[in-house]
Amino acid sequence: QALLPESGGHSVQAGGSLRLSCGVSGNINCVGWFRQVPGKEREGVGFIYIRTGSTFYADSVKGRFTISQDSAKNTLYLQMDSLKPEDTAMYYCATRSVWGACDILPTHFQNWGQGTQVNVSS
């Protein structure tokens, strides 16, 4: 599955919003969004089942972040609202082509984008 680079990374002040996008193609079960800061493990933000549109979010972003898809454009979005300085990280999208239940663990995803940096200042 092809995975186009994520776009939309920027610097923003706390309380602001950003939208990241990720282009995908191929037979995909789910798409996940992850983030990582230097020296820490990659953290799952959430994922979406492509066929049903069902989503799952980590507690740290629930109610603030929203994953959506535009099937016509083969594009996935991560809308990030009420951003906090602790949201500063490199953000990645990833796809899982194995069918069955998805999980927010990075090991469940096979194909990764190259990442985009998000900086939230206080």
Side-chain angles (χ1 to χ4, degrees):
Q1 291 80 22
L3 197 65
L4 297 178
E6 300 88 340
S7 62
H10 291 288
S11 295
V12 65
Q13 287 189 329
S17 297
L18 283 175
R19 189 178 77 164
L20 306 183
S21 61
C22 172
V24 299
S25 65
N27 198 13
I28 296 169
N29 180 16
C30 53
V31 176
W33 285 94
F34 298 83
R35 64 187 183 185
Q36 189 171 22
V37 297
K40 293 190 176 181
E41 293 186 353
R42 192 163 294 186
E43 174 192 16
V45 172
F47 64 84
I48 183 171
Y49 285 98
I50 294 299
R51 287 188 175 180
T52 65
S54 297
T55 53
F56 176 87
Y57 300 95
D59 287 343
S60 57
V61 304
K62 198 173 296 182
R64 300 189 298 120
F65 289 13
T66 304
I67 298 172
S68 62
Q69 61 178 325
D70 184 335
S71 299
K73 297 181 180 179
N74 292 325
T75 301
L76 280 297
Y77 300 101
L78 177 65
Q79 177 68 41
M80 304 185 292
D81 299 318
S82 302
L83 282 161
K84 304 174 181 180
E86 51 264 42
D87 294 320
T88 294
M90 183 73 79
Y91 283 74
Y92 302 86
C93 65
T95 63
R96 175 177 172 85
S97 57
V98 177
W99 297 101
C102 293
D103 197 287
I104 205 169
L105 297 175
T107 52
H108 275 238
F109 293 81
Q110 293 84 40
N111 196 23
W112 290 81
Q114 61 187 39
T116 188
Q117 181 67 34
V118 171
N119 296 310
V120 184
S121 58
S122 58

